[in-house]
């Protein structure tokens, strides 16, 4: 954890430096992230699992925290990424996966989950109790959120056994954007007021200390606020620094804390750089990288249609849409169109609910068949240029081979480039 703590200290000392947090459970996204960190020389790669993806019940990936750790470590070994430069984090760790249950039951489950994450080696822990459970008021009072965060921090501290230098670091906050982007149409967001941001920090500090968590408080590195950054199904609310100037200044005198920016997906490179400059030193991205993954896979599907006989095609795109229609549980609450308009939302919504379906056995098999087809019959560079110009450029520069998986990772890397440029502007 010393690398993250050092980054925060350097930022607090005036360096315009940050770290990208990639929240994904897709193997190609994770491999692309690790390869990108190697190429760019980043001191750490921060990869996070969310409470919906990975928990003691398996989440939508079917993985418990130890499974996810082993999964990421295996990818790191394959690409020769040093484990001492790999940091695993847990995102939105709290009752989010069990909000349909009463709060007492949901929080009991959240305690088990956080302990499992810490015992599995996750060292950046986002304590997120901002959501209401079945018997809670809406919205949840801020003090209740902070009290629950302190309770879960205690569970994490009790689960940790090891060198003090490796103890978990924490992220707090009460104005936490919804995981995966907004479900409603957005116009303009209310920026967290400086007074509210500082009051949240003060409340958590007091409750942590009252709970005997003084040492844990020294490892709280960030608080989540709303700087006016979000996305919904089809548009992005861009960061406007002038609206958050006072908020940016408010964190400067707060010892060892920066801001963590959620929902930075689809922001421009300039906006990402401005966020880091304004003390949002941890930039989280999830749907933005899986959206790039889907773009690349659809491009390979189009290449397959031009190069492989119809009877032999994997038809990944058609298989995926069929499975999404057959199993609508991950998108039913979010998309309300019908016919062709629904198919458009299923594929192209910026909230990228399609990411929940990549582990599906039929979809995974179709992806493997697609890759096998394009390995047996490598596409002409002209087609790669037509459908995947970023990957074409990487291949021509010797940064990627003609393997379809490398095309996908090169496309994802272009998204990561913007984050790296924001976090290391002088690199």
């Amino acid at each position: 954890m010393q690398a993250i703590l050092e980054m925060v200290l350097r930022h607090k000392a005036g360096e315009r430096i940050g770290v990208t947090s990639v929240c994904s459970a897709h193997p190609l996204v994770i491999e692309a992230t690790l390869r990108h960190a190697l190429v760019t020389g980043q001191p750490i790669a921060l990869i996070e699992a969310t409470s919906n993806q990975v928990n003691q019940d398996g989440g939508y990936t079917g993985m418990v925290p130890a499974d996810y750790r082993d999964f990421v470590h295996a990818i790191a070994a394959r690409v020769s990424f040093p484990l001492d430069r790999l940091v695993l984090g847990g995102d939105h760790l709290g009752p989010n996966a069990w909000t349909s249950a009463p709060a007492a039951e949901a929080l009991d489950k959240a305690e088990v989950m956080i302990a499992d994450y810490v015992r599995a080696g996750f060292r950046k822990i986002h304590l997120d109790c901002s959501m209401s459970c079945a018997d809670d008021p809406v919205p949840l009072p801020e003090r209740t959120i902070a009290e629950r965060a302190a309770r879960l921090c205690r569970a994490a501290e009790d689960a940790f056994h090891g060198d003090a230098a490796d103890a978990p670091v924490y992220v707090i906050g009460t104005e936490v954007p919804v995981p995966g982007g907004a479900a409603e149409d957005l116009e303009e967001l209310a920026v967290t007021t400086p007074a509210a941001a500082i009051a949240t920090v003060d409340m958590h500090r007091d409750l942590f200390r009252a709970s005997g968590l003084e040492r844990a408080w020294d490892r709280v590195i960030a608080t989540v606020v709303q700087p006016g950054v979000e996305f919904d199904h089809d548009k992005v609310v861009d960061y406007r620094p002038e609206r958050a100037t006072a908020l940016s200044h408010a964190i400067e005198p707060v010892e060892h804390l920066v801001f963590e920016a959620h929902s930075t997906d689809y922001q421009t490179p300039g906006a990402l750089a401005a966020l880091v400059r304004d003390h949002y030193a941890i930039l989280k991205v999830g749907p933005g990288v899986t959206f790039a993954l889907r773009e690349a896979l659809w491009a390979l599907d189009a290449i397959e249609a031009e190069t492989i006989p119809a009877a032999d095609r994997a038809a990944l795109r058609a298989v995926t849409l069929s499975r999404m229609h057959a199993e609508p549980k991950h998108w039913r609450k979010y998309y309300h169109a019908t016919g062709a308009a629904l198919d458009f939302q299923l594929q192209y919504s910026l909230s990228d609910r399609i990411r929940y379906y990549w582990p599906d056995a039929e979809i995974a098999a179709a992806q493997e068949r697609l890759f096998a087809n394009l390995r047996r019959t490598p596409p002409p560079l002209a087609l790669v240029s037509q459908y995947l110009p970023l990957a074409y450029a990487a291949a021509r520069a010797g940064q990627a081979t003609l393997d379809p998986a490398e095309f996908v990772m090169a496309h994802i890397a272009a998204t990561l480039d913007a984050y790296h440029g924001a976090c290391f502007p002088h690199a």
Side-chain angles (χ1 to χ4, degrees):
M1 285 308 88
Q2 293 306 305
I4 287 186
L5 291 169
E6 179 187 347
M7 181 278 293
V8 172
L9 290 174
R10 289 171 62 187
H11 186 97
K12 297 296 286 186
E15 284 192 61
R16 192 181 297 182
I17 188 173
V19 63
T20 304
S21 166
V22 175
C23 303
S24 181
H26 197 286
L28 286 174
V29 170
I30 292 170
E31 184 171 343
T33 300
L34 297 179
R35 287 177 178 268
H36 187 264
L38 285 173
V39 168
T40 55
Q42 295 172 44
I44 61 169
L46 173 56
I47 295 175
E48 302 206 40
T50 70
S51 56
N52 281 336
Q53 288 171 333
V54 176
N55 56 51
Q56 66 268 36
D57 298 329
Y60 72 77
T61 64
M63 288 189 279
V64 301
D67 295 333
Y68 184 87
R69 174 204 61 208
D70 294 345
F71 165 68
V72 176
H73 282 188
I75 296 171
R78 188 167 68 247
V79 301
S80 299
F81 191 89
L83 290 184
D84 61 0
R85 288 171 57 191
L86 173 62
V87 177
L88 295 180
D91 192 31
H92 296 289
L93 298 192
N96 188 52
W98 304 284
T99 53
S100 60
E105 178 184 339
L107 285 165
D108 285 347
K109 284 181 169 288
E111 283 185 320
V112 172
M113 176 182 64
I114 281 213
D116 285 353
Y117 266 80
V118 172
R119 281 192 288 263
F122 291 72
R123 291 295 179 261
K124 178 182 173 292
I125 304 296
H126 175 210
L127 302 166
D128 183 10
C129 297
S130 60
M131 61 290 299
S132 296
C133 298
D135 56 352
D136 281 330
V138 180
L140 202 59
E142 288 202 16
R143 185 172 182 86
T144 302
I145 296 171
E147 288 172 343
R148 291 177 179 180
R151 172 181 168 178
L152 295 187
C153 182
R154 168 56 65 195
E157 291 288 289
D158 289 347
F160 175 72
H161 300 286
D163 191 314
D166 192 40
V169 299
Y170 298 101
V171 175
I172 60 167
T174 59
E175 294 191 26
V176 183
V178 177
E184 71 281 359
D185 288 337
L186 297 172
E187 292 303 330
E188 189 167 287
L189 296 168
V191 174
T192 301
T193 66
I198 298 307
T200 294
V201 171
D202 290 343
M203 184 186 301
H204 279 78
R205 181 192 296 114
D206 292 344
L207 287 168
F208 273 48
R209 288 176 175 169
S211 301
L213 294 166
E214 294 91 346
R215 291 184 179 179
W217 179 258
D218 290 339
R219 286 179 271 111
V220 175
I221 59 170
T223 182
V224 181
V225 293
Q226 178 50 268
V229 171
E230 188 54 280
F231 59 93
D232 61 19
H233 298 316
D234 56 14
K235 60 181 174 297
V236 180
V237 179
D238 290 315
Y239 181 53
R240 290 166 51 193
E242 70 277 6
R243 297 186 66 229
T245 299
L247 178 60
S248 172
H249 292 324
I251 199 69
E252 291 174 353
V254 180
E255 189 178 3
H256 66 73
L257 260 71
V258 294
F259 289 133
E260 177 169 277
H262 286 226
S263 299
T264 69
D265 313 72
Y266 313 112
Q267 293 289 310
T268 66
L272 294 173
L275 282 164
V276 174
R277 178 200 65 205
D278 294 344
H279 310 311
Y280 299 88
I282 304 172
L283 300 178
K284 299 187 77 70
V285 59
V289 286
T290 50
F291 189 90
L293 165 77
R294 195 272 314 150
E295 285 182 322
L297 291 173
W298 267 211
L300 293 178
D301 179 89
I303 290 172
E304 181 190 52
E306 296 212 39
T307 58
I308 304 297
D312 297 329
R313 292 174 196 159
L316 173 62
R317 184 170 173 174
V319 169
T320 302
L321 278 172
S322 175
R323 293 298 299 144
M324 293 182 77
H325 281 291
E327 300 287 346
K329 64 180 179 179
H330 294 304
W331 58 262
R332 196 194 324 252
K333 292 190 300 184
Y334 305 93
Y335 306 148
H336 308 294
T338 58
L342 174 59
D343 282 349
F344 184 89
Q345 287 182 326
L346 293 176
Q347 297 174 85
Y348 302 115
S349 167
L350 296 178
S351 62
D352 194 49
R353 307 302 297 183
I354 200 170
R355 71 188 186 277
Y356 291 86
Y357 291 87
W358 298 125
D360 178 272
E362 291 184 38
I363 295 173
Q367 179 187 307
E368 284 305 308
R369 186 177 178 186
L370 169 65
F371 284 9
N373 282 342
L374 296 180
R375 284 169 180 146
R376 281 193 300 269
T377 308
L381 278 176
L383 279 183
V384 179
S385 179
Q386 174 66 38
Y387 290 108
L388 282 168
L390 297 175
Y392 170 82
R396 294 288 290 131
Q399 298 166 352
T401 71
L402 297 183
D403 186 87
E406 294 212 18
F407 286 149
V408 173
M409 289 187 284
H411 192 75
I412 294 168
T415 296
L416 296 174
D417 280 342
Y419 284 86
H420 180 65
C423 291
F424 298 95
H426 302 301

